[in-house]
Amino acid sequence: MMRTENISKFYDEKAVVEGVSVDIPKGKITSFIGSNGAGKSTLLSVMSRLIKQSGGKVYLEGTPVTDIEDSELAKRVSILKQSSHINIRLTVRELVSFGRFPYSGGRLTQEDEDIVSRAIGYMDLMESENNYIDTLSGGQRQRAFIAMIIAQDTDYVLLDEPLNNLDMKHSVQIMKTLRRLTDELGKTVVLVIHDINFASCYSDYIAALKDGKLAGFGTVEQMIESGILKDIFGMDFDVREMNGSRICLYYT
């Protein structure tokens, strides 16, 4: 399990995240929801140790992440930020191969190559593996970055707005893939997401942030309720059951 304990992050004395404690269930999808500026991406970055918190601790399987060596942490936790721009020209396979760096140090073994191939296949990118990243569509490019994370083979996968700038079709493909990562490979997935309906349909747990604080945490059934959502977003919601999922209609 991954756990945050009273995490705070301040910038110029302004609290972006304040006193957030949450347990991330293992082998499940947990979505962070909330309005812009709620602190979701900041909390995710603190959890992955990309940025240093102002207070509190993050624990991975009971050990503070600050006590884990960089090389070891890279084998246990991976993160994909929403701004994944690369300035050098790479093929899909070259990009995905970066996921093996914590293990190979840049010198790929045959085992590394096999893992890279499986990750490319898992994301259905075999026909594009020799294409350059900058020639791909937005959906293909995002799948390539997720393939890199899969090749990194960590138990914990953290994703910051993986659906950003994707159309409906590609968003569904990405969410189905994340669902498979948990159901088939036992990964623990934590993601920042803005679309409440995607969060409802594909998540197991939801953590809601508001003004830098944890506004609620629970299962989809517990959190996707009109009253709770109105408290978080300040909007009226009509929550309906449809095909086993809770669908939110919202009104301004």
Side-chain angles (χ1 to χ4, degrees):
M1 181 175 68
M2 200 169 195
R3 178 164 63 95
T4 72
E5 184 179 273
N6 202 31
I7 289 296
S8 296
K9 179 63 179 178
F10 292 83
Y11 289 106
D12 296 326
E13 300 184 357
K14 176 180 172 57
V16 180
V17 175
E18 186 173 4
V20 174
S21 298
V22 63
D23 293 345
I24 304 298
K26 195 169 184 179
K28 303 293 182 181
I29 295 179
T30 298
S31 290
F32 289 175
I33 66 170
S35 302
N36 288 339
K40 305 180 299 296
S41 296
T42 300
L43 180 61
L44 198 76
S45 293
V46 168
M47 290 171 61
S48 65
R49 219 171 65 183
L50 280 183
I51 62 176
K52 186 177 180 180
Q53 65 268 33
S54 303
K57 289 187 176 182
V58 179
Y59 294 90
L60 181 62
E61 308 292 352
T63 302
V65 295
T66 51
D67 294 346
I68 303 175
E69 294 288 338
D70 291 347
S71 58
E72 179 62 23
L73 189 65
K75 296 177 183 178
R76 301 173 68 182
V77 179
S78 55
I79 183 167
L80 183 62
K81 295 290 290 179
Q82 58 178 301
S83 298
S84 300
H85 299 299
I86 292 181
N87 294 324
I88 56 176
R89 203 159 193 237
L90 297 171
T91 65
V92 169
R93 188 172 187 89
E94 288 169 339
L95 174 69
V96 177
S97 296
F98 281 153
R100 298 306 299 164
F101 189 85
Y103 307 89
S104 67
R107 296 187 177 185
L108 299 182
T109 65
Q110 186 57 53
E111 180 183 7
D112 292 319
E113 295 285 3
D114 292 342
I115 291 172
V116 168
S117 294
R118 285 199 297 271
I120 291 172
Y122 200 84
M123 294 306 299
D124 195 23
L125 289 167
M126 297 84 69
E127 294 183 359
S128 305
E129 69 173 327
N130 294 317
N131 293 352
Y132 287 103
I133 294 296
D134 58 3
T135 68
L136 303 180
S137 68
Q140 288 176 316
R141 191 179 304 115
Q142 189 71 325
R143 281 157 51 206
F145 278 105
I146 293 177
M148 178 182 66
I149 294 298
I150 294 173
Q152 194 172 335
D153 195 24
T154 59
D155 289 335
Y156 293 84
V157 178
L158 280 53
L159 303 163
D160 189 4
E161 297 190 38
L163 309 184
N164 197 26
N165 297 322
L166 296 185
D167 61 22
M168 182 68 71
K169 177 181 178 181
H170 288 112
S171 294
V172 169
Q173 289 176 341
I174 295 299
M175 293 306 296
K176 284 184 175 180
T177 297
L178 298 181
R179 189 70 259 174
R180 288 173 58 206
L181 286 179
T182 58
D183 295 340
E184 298 176 5
L185 302 182
K187 305 296 186 183
T188 301
V189 175
V190 186
L191 68 150
V192 171
I193 188 169
H194 280 287
D195 192 302
I196 302 172
N197 285 318
F198 276 124
S200 174
C201 291
Y202 293 97
S203 306
D204 298 296
Y205 293 89
I206 290 177
L209 280 82
K210 182 179 181 180
D211 299 326
K213 298 179 180 179
L214 186 69
F217 177 82
T219 63
V220 168
E221 291 74 18
Q222 292 169 328
M223 293 296 296
I224 303 299
E225 294 284 355
S226 57
I228 292 175
L229 294 175
K230 184 175 182 178
D231 287 342
I232 296 166
F233 294 98
M235 301 168 58
D236 291 321
F237 288 82
D238 180 8
V239 179
R240 304 178 184 182
E241 296 282 345
M242 186 178 296
N243 297 327
S245 297
R246 296 195 172 196
I247 305 299
C248 305
L249 305 177
Y250 37 94
Y251 307 93
T252 56

